[in-house]
Each structure stands twice: as C-alpha cells, then as structure tokens.
Amino acid sequence: MAHEYDVVIIGGGTGGYVAAIRASQLGLKTAIVEKEALGGTCLHKGCIPSKALLWSAQVFSTVKQSEDFGVETENAILNFKKVQQRKTGIVDRLYKGVQHLMKKGKIDVYDGFGRILGPSIFSPLPGTVSVEMTDGSENEMLVPKNVIIATGSRTKSLPGLDIDGTYIITSDEALEMEQLPRSMIIIGGGVIGIEWASMLADFGVEVAILEYAEQLLPSEDQEVSKELERLFKKKKINVVTRAKVQPDTFMKDGGFAKISAEVDGRLKEFTGEKILVAVGRNPNSDNLGLQNTDIELDNGFIKVNEYYQTKESHIYAIGDVIGGLQLAHAASHEGIKAAEHIAGEDPSPIIYDHVPRCIYSTPEIAGVGLTEDEAKEKGFKVKTGKFSFQAIGKALIFGETDGFVKIVSDEDTNDILGVHMIGPNVTDLISEAGLARVLDATAWEISQTIHPHPSLGEVMGEAALAVDGRAIHI
Ligand code: NAI
C-alpha cells in the first residue's frame, strides 16, 4: 500500500530525527525510515556511549588521585561491567526520549531499510521510497513530495587490514567490549583515536597511538596538538606521529596482535592485545537506489547546495553522508535548515566556520573557526592572545591546570577568526567563542564581558585581553 507524505526522511540519527521534528513543527506530514534504532550512530555507537565511558574513566582517574584533594580512599577498583551497564542505561533513557518525541510530533516511524525508486506508477519524479521492513512484512511504499537522506556513515578500515572483531576492531566493537584489554594499539590520531587513547589510558590500559600526519589531530591548531602530545606522554601514552602503518605486517602472536609502521624511514613493530582502527568513516550512500536519480556523489559523499538540495531539488541530504564536519550538532542543524527550506521558509545557510568542534578526552579539546596557520594561509594579518589555566583559580581548585585558550584575531578588523582550547571543561567553554563568532565579536568585546570569579570562563576574558597585551593575571 502507498502512503503519501510531505517529507520522508531516510535515517533516524541525530540529523534525521531532528529534521523530522522541525518538519512536523512546520506542519509537514512527516515519516522517518530507520533500519536499526532511532538516535543512530550518535546515540547508540558514538557520542553518547563513548562520552559515558570517558566520564567513568575520568572518575576512576580522579578517585585514584583523591588524596591530592584531602580525600583518602581505600584502593580504587574498576568494575568495568558496571561501567558498561551505566553507559547502556544512559543510552536506553535517551532512546526512549527520542521515541517519545516522534510520537509527540506525530511522526510515522517505519522500521526498515529505505531505497529510492526512479519514476514509477506512484510518481513521475524519482523519490518514492520503498521500505524493506525489518520484521519481514511486505515492503511499504512511501510517496513523498520531498525526501531527506540522512543515512550517516560507518566505520572503515585500512586496505588489507580486515576488522575481525577480536584482534582488529573499530570503535563499534570497542564500545561493546566486556572487559578491558591490557594493551591497545590505536591506528589514527584523529578524534576517535584521541578519545579512546585518553579513556583507555585513564582506565589503566597501555596505549600506543600511531598517526600518519606530523601531529595528532592534524586539522586542529598546532599549539593545541603539541600540548595534547605533551599531556598524553605524561599519561604514559606512546604517541607516534609520521607513522606509516604497514597492514601486511599484521600478525597474531600468542594472544597478541603485532603490526609495524615505518617511522622516519625505520620500521618499528608494535604489540598489543588489540588494534583499534580509527582512520575516518565512510558515507552510507550505497544501496540507497541513488542510481535511479540524478544525484551526484563525490568520493561516496552526496553533493548538495547550501540548502542541502541534491541535483534532484526535491531530494535533500544532510549529516555524515554529505561529508564535511561529521558532527552530530552539524547534522541536526543541517536537518533543521533542510526542513525549513522544504516548508518554503528562507533559512540562512550554515557558516561552517561557526561550528564548534569538541573532543572529550582528558584534557578536553575544542575549537571554532580558523587555526592560526589557516588564517595566515588565507592572507589574514593575524594577532593572537593566549592564556593558561595555570593562572585560573577555579582550575587550581579543580586540580586541572594544564592547557590554555588561544584566540586568533584579524589585526586589521579586530574580528575573531578562531578560538582554540585545551583543558578542563573546554567543550562547554567553547560555546562562548561560538557565540562570539556568530555575533562577529572582537576580542575587546569578549574582554568587556564580565566573567564571574572564580570560574573557568575567566580564561576567555584573559585570553581576549591577551590579544592586545592587556591580560591581568600574567
Ligand atoms: P578523523 O578523520 O578525525 O581522524 C582519522 C585520523 O587517522 C587522521 O588524523 C588521519 O591522519 C589518520 N590516519 C589516516 N590513515 C592513517 C594510517 N594509514 N595510519 C595512521 N593514521 C592514519 O577520523 P576518526 O577519528 O575516525 O573520526 C571519524 C569522524 O567521527 C570524524 O569526522 C569525527 O569528527 C567524528 N567524531 C566526532 C567526535 C566528537 O565530535 N567528539 C567523536 C568521534 C567521532
């Protein structure tokens, strides 16, 4: 039987379900097709479960240092089973919340795999969605005026290094580990690699991280990456940059995995109980029926315009499947913009330089806008202000004085071009920098904002003053 809709969204992750809610708020008859579980990667295999584990790791690490705070504890013992149960409890609770939101928005949810058909008896345009139902019942046929593809991305490996789930894993398998390994080799020093290295080290696992580029987090500000490397070494993480991993050297040896990497012309062998591969994610654009449309791909990513329309103007795509910043908060905002455009509103396009990037390791890392190098490459005359957490009273109280905030400003206009942070709670502090970017604020304006004392936020005020050499507590 065919069901008619204003919008059908394929994929119920953070991008898809937020787009569905916005579409329904705008009075559009909306359906969502999801092959696994509403909430998608972020809720079930990404942001939420990984941050729950990271928090347990940080608590464990803090408890081990509790004497520094005058709190004496008997031996801290890690119960990893409970850590996992807590993680699952948080995911379940949020999952129920998303299901409730779909009901509240009167959004029809189809549990199954959606494929786009070409012109058919249902419509002269491509875009009818055939749903192969998860429960094996007969395919449902959805006939929408518009489609939003929000199918996300999946883990990938290196050519020649097959994920076997035991010795070689991705973040998907790592999240489900029933017990911690004694040692882990992480391939890739990007966002996933950094978060897992931090978490595992805090849990007491021996970690080596092999990164191909010159620095960890190659797209973040150089000074932030250097500080991260220093702090990771302090945590006893073996950080190896410029590492060309050789997949054909992988072997299993007495319950351990061995793999070699060429580092500065020399072959080095690494041994660990498991290898975690974190070298990026592939878009889920295959098997969707895109060959029945004029939709164009770039390396598997769906090409869209600033309103997220594909070459078929009534078919939109948002989130990881279009590439760019593969971040949940970027996807949800893209979903809102797409829904508003479909409803005939005139949404202002997202400025990607305004999207904050956050990494939930210890120390946390966050950034928005251009790095110092990027700003210089773009021809800006740059001035910077930097302020360390060492001189921030609240950081001292927390016992977390490592790290800093760095503001990159345009010397000609005084506009802030980028803000880069490493240290305690910076994934929260970055929102002030994001607002500053949206309001086109100058460092002077931030310095005029009164930050309460004592608070970690004072670091922003001081870094802003530092841009013009006026920081107080240095
Ligand atoms: P990524 O692109 O952030 O990092 C991959 C890293 O692997 C890069 O540093 C790259 O230079 C390195 N690499 C590539 N090939 C290599 C090789 N052969 N040997 C050694 N290193 C190699 O990708 P990642 O970490 O897998 O994350 C995937 C996506 O998920 C990212 O776009 C990320 O933004 C998103 N994500 C976001 C999170 C957050 O916002 N906190 C958390 C987790 C993931």
Side-chain angles (χ1 to χ4, degrees):
M1 191 179 133
H3 310 272
E4 293 188 354
Y5 288 98
D6 292 317
V7 195
V8 167
I9 297 161
I10 308 178
T14 313
Y17 87 71
V18 171
I21 293 171
R22 186 69 190 119
S24 124
Q25 284 174 349
L26 290 162
L28 301 173
K29 190 175 178 213
T30 306
I32 201 161
V33 182
E34 169 54 53
K35 70 178 165 60
E36 284 171 42
L38 286 173
T41 301
C42 173
L43 178 51
H44 300 278
K45 296 177 182 170
C47 325
I48 299 296
S50 64
K51 269 77 234 169
L53 295 185
L54 273 156
W55 189 250
S56 286
Q58 196 181 339
V59 170
F60 184 51
S61 162
T62 305
V63 170
K64 282 195 289 186
Q65 295 159 29
S66 69
E67 276 191 31
D68 295 350
F69 298 84
V71 180
E72 290 178 17
T73 48
E74 293 285 314
N75 249 343
I77 295 168
L78 182 70
N79 182 337
F80 194 64
K81 203 171 157 193
K82 273 203 178 157
V83 168
Q84 286 285 30
Q85 281 168 354
R86 179 174 186 274
K87 173 204 83 179
T88 306
I90 293 167
V91 171
D92 286 349
R93 192 161 159 182
L94 290 170
Y95 182 36
K96 286 200 183 85
V98 179
Q99 289 169 312
H100 166 74
L101 289 172
M102 295 300 103
K103 281 205 183 95
K104 188 174 155 222
K106 302 200 177 11
I107 296 156
D108 291 341
V109 178
Y110 292 86
D111 296 322
F113 192 100
R115 271 188 201 85
I116 296 177
L117 306 182
S120 64
I121 49 163
F122 301 108
S123 167
L125 292 175
T128 296
V129 176
S130 159
V131 186
E132 191 181 319
M133 299 299 288
T134 307
D135 63 8
S137 59
E138 202 178 314
N139 279 17
E140 295 280 3
M141 215 50 85
L142 314 183
V143 188
K145 293 194 183 103
N146 295 276
V147 177
I148 300 178
I149 303 171
T151 46
S153 63
R154 58 181 182 277
T155 55
K156 72 172 185 191
S157 188
L158 291 175
L161 202 58
D162 295 333
I163 305 301
D164 64 14
T166 308
Y167 291 95
I168 305 177
I169 63 174
T170 67
S171 57
D172 283 0
E173 291 78 27
L175 278 171
E176 300 308 321
M177 286 187 303
E178 285 173 9
Q179 57 188 47
L180 286 166
R182 279 160 294 172
S183 51
M184 181 79 87
I185 301 166
I186 299 178
I187 303 179
V191 182
I192 294 182
I194 294 306
E195 289 186 352
W196 277 93
S198 167
M199 177 210 305
L200 292 170
D202 282 347
F203 276 140
V205 176
E206 195 184 301
V207 178
I209 182 160
L210 313 180
E211 165 56 46
Y212 184 82
E214 291 278 321
Q215 62 174 51
L216 295 176
L217 298 174
S219 51
E220 292 301 330
D221 195 88
Q222 256 192 55
E223 283 190 77
V224 167
S225 293
K226 266 198 199 126
E227 177 72 349
L228 173 67
E229 195 169 327
R230 183 182 77 80
L231 297 174
F232 264 16
K233 284 182 176 161
K234 216 164 112 183
K235 268 183 197 276
K236 309 253 181 306
I237 295 172
N238 181 10
V239 176
V240 187
T241 50
R242 298 186 299 277
K244 289 187 189 142
V245 174
Q246 313 287 313
D248 58 343
T249 61
F250 163 70
M251 58 178 195
K252 302 169 204 168
D253 184 10
F256 285 88
K258 286 182 187 272
I259 197 157
S260 297
E262 193 192 307
V263 187
D264 299 333
R266 305 230 318 255
L267 207 61
K268 284 192 180 172
E269 189 182 69
F270 298 87
T271 303
E273 226 173 271
K274 289 180 191 295
I275 298 174
L276 170 60
V277 186
V279 293
R281 295 176 64 89
N282 276 330
N284 289 330
S285 59
D286 37 356
N287 215 4
L288 273 182
L290 299 188
Q291 72 283 1
N292 302 323
T293 71
D294 284 338
I295 292 175
E296 290 177 353
L297 298 178
D298 178 10
N299 228 347
F301 293 101
I302 298 179
K303 284 167 85 170
V304 292
N305 67 13
E306 59 189 350
Y307 300 112
Y308 306 102
Q309 290 170 292
T310 65
K311 258 287 157 84
E312 304 275 3
S313 59
H314 61 300
I315 304 182
Y316 292 66
I318 59 158
D320 283 12
V321 77
I322 64 169
L325 288 175
Q326 291 181 310
L327 300 171
H329 47 278
S332 57
H333 277 261
E334 290 164 358
I336 289 170
K337 300 286 178 188
E340 290 177 348
H341 196 256
I342 288 169
E345 300 212 334
D346 185 21
S348 52
I350 292 176
I351 300 172
Y352 283 89
D353 265 1
H354 291 176
V355 179
R357 308 173 301 270
C358 293
I359 303 166
Y360 297 82
S361 45
T362 309
E364 290 190 344
I365 294 158
V368 64
L370 301 178
T371 64
E372 186 176 347
D373 288 344
E374 283 168 346
K376 285 179 180 162
E377 272 161 33
K378 282 185 185 276
F380 287 103
K381 222 161 121 199
V382 161
K383 57 180 177 178
T384 63
K386 194 171 149 190
F387 200 83
S388 161
F389 280 102
Q390 301 269 0
I392 298 294
K394 190 77 175 279
L396 232 81
I397 292 165
F398 283 169
E400 292 186 50
T401 51
D402 286 319
F404 56 82
V405 166
K406 171 176 169 180
I407 298 182
V408 180
S409 271
D410 181 346
E411 203 171 317
D412 294 329
T413 63
N414 284 320
D415 282 346
I416 292 173
L417 301 170
V419 180
H420 308 282
M421 306 178 161
I422 178 165
N425 291 24
V426 296
T427 60
D428 290 312
L429 297 182
I430 196 68
S431 292
E432 181 180 0
L435 181 63
R437 296 277 297 138
V438 170
L439 299 179
D440 237 345
T442 62
W444 181 81
E445 283 162 322
I446 293 189
S447 76
Q448 294 306 295
T449 309
I450 299 178
H451 295 87
H453 178 74
S455 71
L456 291 175
E458 287 176 282
V459 74
M460 264 301 276
E462 288 277 19
L465 286 170
V467 171
D468 291 306
R470 293 187 297 132
I472 300 290
H473 292 93
I474 196 160

